[in-house]
Amino acid sequence: MNILVINAGSSSLKYQLFDMETETVLAKGLCERIGLDGHLKHTPLGNGKPVFDEDVALKDHSVAIQAVIDKLVSEEYGVVGSMAEIDAVGHRVVHGGESFNESTLITDEVLKAIEDCIPLAPLHNPANITGIKACQEVMGPDVPQIAVFDTAFHQTMPEKAFMYPIPYEYYREDKIRRYGFHGTSHRYVAARAAELIGKPAEELKLISCHMGNGSSICAVDGGKSVDTSMGFTPLAGLPMGTRCGDIDAGIMEYIMNKYDMGIGEMMTVLNKKSGMVGISERSSDFRDLIDASAEGSHKSGLALDMFCYDVAKTIGSYVVALGGVDAIIFTAGVGENSRPVRNGVCKYLSAIGADMDPEKNSACKGECDIATDDSKVRLWVIPTNEELVIARDTKAIAEK
Ligand code: AMP
């Protein structure tokens, strides 16, 4: 069975085609500047065919999907014989609100429910819906389309973890609560950690740290999310590349009054100009900050220190929430690749019985346990694979 995984943004569309017999990626690619002019990079994998990387007119998402399928089946760049060899499509959908606690076959009702979640994710859900409709249009009604939600994994959080201490009516009327994001990633690495540790997920208490451009931490008890650091929106929790994370809401009033700033401008400051780039006044990229800090930049070092301190504090609070922890997992761009950041976080963790082995941390490539042999808590680095989770869910639902 071949599964196409689609991650549609407002002007971009990422894709991977999986052969699910072997769970291998046959081809992957990216459409950019959809609706503007258009560019397609298509990479066939493992069959020796060349990469296609050119400007292509992409006036909308339907044209983009058609261009992707044309490449997937083409003589020169293709990996399958015809569109009929694509058995189902899995779509990443950012927000499923309280309606979806698992992946689901997209029907008209489901599409309507995803549309109802637009106010909760005004930037992401419309783009995801556009991608779904484009696939339906190009591939027809016989190819099952499945939605996999970033929020679904966190729907198991208890009320005490997802409610905000603001008037209850905002939950009742407006569904304002913690939803959490990166659910597909946390779910993948938590399940993978259980496999690597060799114990059933039901018996493990895990803390998953997804540290990338956007970052979140998730407490996983017996395979279920019980708390997470992102909130009603992905602005909450840790300081990130350009996002502030948790701050005192009173700061907004003070800045807006003092600088005569509207809410739109304030949100741009908090979403785009804060976090690592805001503190360092240099870059949102952790690599740049590590280099600058090594060259003596105080503010770059401070941004990194603030990030590591907040990750460690959040881990500490989740140890309490879980009543202990068996393993802590590092994943995503920074978690998988940055030894200095893992080091910066782990230096706080001996207080909870987690001791990092610096040599294992330095030598780590791919999946590895970087804890010392006698550390009570294991420290796993596990590369995330959200696309594979989407493909697996899509296969399971399409087979039904
Ligand atoms: P993601 O959002 O998961 O794609 O992660 C992107 C971020 O990972 C980038 O902004 C970088 O800051 C970070 N990153 C990627 N590779 C490295 C590396 N080798 N060392 C430090 N940070 C890295």
Side-chain angles (χ1 to χ4, degrees):
M1 182 180 256
N2 295 324
I3 304 280
L4 181 61
V5 173
I6 298 284
N7 182 355
S10 54
S11 67
S12 69
L13 187 149
K14 278 191 234 160
Y15 64 93
Q16 291 193 6
L17 184 68
F18 281 84
D19 172 353
M20 293 309 287
E21 305 309 316
T22 52
E23 292 196 333
T24 50
V25 181
L26 299 173
K28 62 178 184 176
L30 172 65
C31 299
E32 286 178 294
R33 302 179 60 81
I34 301 170
L36 300 166
D37 37 27
H39 187 92
L40 169 59
K41 181 168 184 188
H42 167 83
T43 309
L45 296 163
N47 67 355
K49 292 195 177 172
V51 173
F52 177 92
D53 189 3
E54 288 179 26
D55 290 342
V56 177
L58 301 172
K59 84 172 162 55
D60 57 31
H61 283 72
S62 295
V63 174
I65 291 285
Q66 187 63 61
V68 168
I69 291 172
D70 289 348
K71 283 288 160 293
L72 289 170
V73 304
S74 88
E75 187 75 26
E76 195 176 354
Y77 304 99
V79 291
V80 288
S82 74
M83 193 162 84
E85 290 178 39
I86 301 173
D87 299 286
V89 185
H91 295 269
R92 177 182 182 213
V93 178
V94 167
H95 219 306
E98 289 190 322
S99 305
F100 299 102
N101 58 11
E102 59 186 5
S103 304
T104 183
L105 180 71
I106 301 170
T107 59
D108 290 348
E109 273 161 28
V110 167
L111 201 53
K112 165 81 176 58
I114 298 172
E115 280 168 353
D116 290 343
C117 294
I118 288 176
L120 301 174
L123 298 180
H124 294 99
N125 271 34
N128 302 152
I129 292 165
T130 307
I132 293 167
K133 288 185 172 167
C135 283
Q136 288 175 331
E137 189 185 319
V138 172
M139 304 179 84
D142 294 337
V143 181
Q145 313 272 336
I146 280 88
V148 180
F149 301 92
D150 266 22
T151 49
F153 182 60
H154 301 300
Q155 279 297 302
T156 46
M157 279 188 289
E159 221 176 3
K160 65 185 175 193
F162 75 65
M163 286 299 291
Y164 286 113
I166 57 174
Y168 195 89
E169 65 180 279
Y170 293 112
Y171 173 61
R172 192 171 48 233
E173 302 301 323
D174 305 304
K175 293 277 172 265
I176 293 181
R177 50 159 285 177
R178 183 187 302 280
Y179 288 100
F181 299 87
H182 295 139
T184 312
S185 174
H186 291 303
R187 189 178 132 204
Y188 172 79
V189 296
R192 186 73 193 124
E195 282 172 11
L196 291 163
I197 292 166
K199 273 196 180 170
E202 294 70 30
E203 291 175 17
L204 288 171
K205 293 179 188 295
L206 303 171
I207 297 173
S208 161
C209 307
H210 179 111
M211 310 193 296
N213 217 351
S215 298
S216 71
I217 305 193
C218 179
V220 184
D221 197 354
K224 294 190 163 68
S225 169
V226 294
D227 209 341
T228 192
S229 60
M230 280 183 170
F232 178 61
T233 73
L235 181 57
L238 305 168
M240 308 179 212
T242 65
R243 284 172 253 171
C244 60
D246 288 346
I247 59 163
D248 175 353
I251 293 171
M252 295 173 66
E253 183 194 30
Y254 185 87
I255 292 180
M256 287 166 75
N257 283 340
K258 175 139 196 230
Y259 296 100
D260 193 21
M261 206 184 260
I263 187 68
E265 203 182 335
M266 184 75 249
M267 294 314 290
T268 303
V269 170
L270 301 181
N271 271 304
K272 305 255 172 189
K273 298 182 181 174
S274 297
M276 298 297 104
V277 74
I279 293 295
S280 69
E281 298 189 310
R282 185 182 289 257
S283 174
S284 62
D285 192 301
F286 282 75
R287 283 165 291 203
D288 295 342
L289 300 182
I290 290 161
D291 292 347
S293 172
E295 284 159 17
S297 159
H298 169 69
K299 284 175 291 172
S300 297
L302 174 63
L304 290 166
D305 278 353
M306 288 169 67
F307 179 81
C308 295
Y309 177 62
D310 217 35
V311 170
K313 265 202 313 190
T314 309
I315 290 172
S317 69
Y318 287 173
V319 173
V320 175
L322 288 165
V325 63
D326 297 299
I328 294 161
I329 308 158
F330 298 106
T331 193
V334 178
E336 291 164 27
N337 298 303
S338 182
R339 292 169 191 120
V341 172
R342 289 196 302 256
N343 197 29
V345 173
C346 291
K347 74 177 188 217
Y348 294 101
L349 299 185
S350 34
I352 58 158
D355 294 309
M356 192 197 75
D357 180 329
E359 279 174 24
K360 288 186 190 166
N361 186 40
S362 293
C364 174
K365 278 200 187 82
E367 291 175 335
C368 28
D369 180 354
I370 57 169
T372 58
D373 291 342
D374 52 7
S375 172
K376 288 197 202 77
V377 176
R378 305 320 302 166
L379 294 165
W380 276 96
V381 177
I382 303 180
T384 194
N385 197 340
E386 292 162 275
E387 292 78 11
L388 180 59
V389 176
I390 296 173
R392 283 178 180 164
D393 280 12
T394 301
K395 175 173 184 270
I397 292 170
E399 278 173 347
K400 278 194 211 155

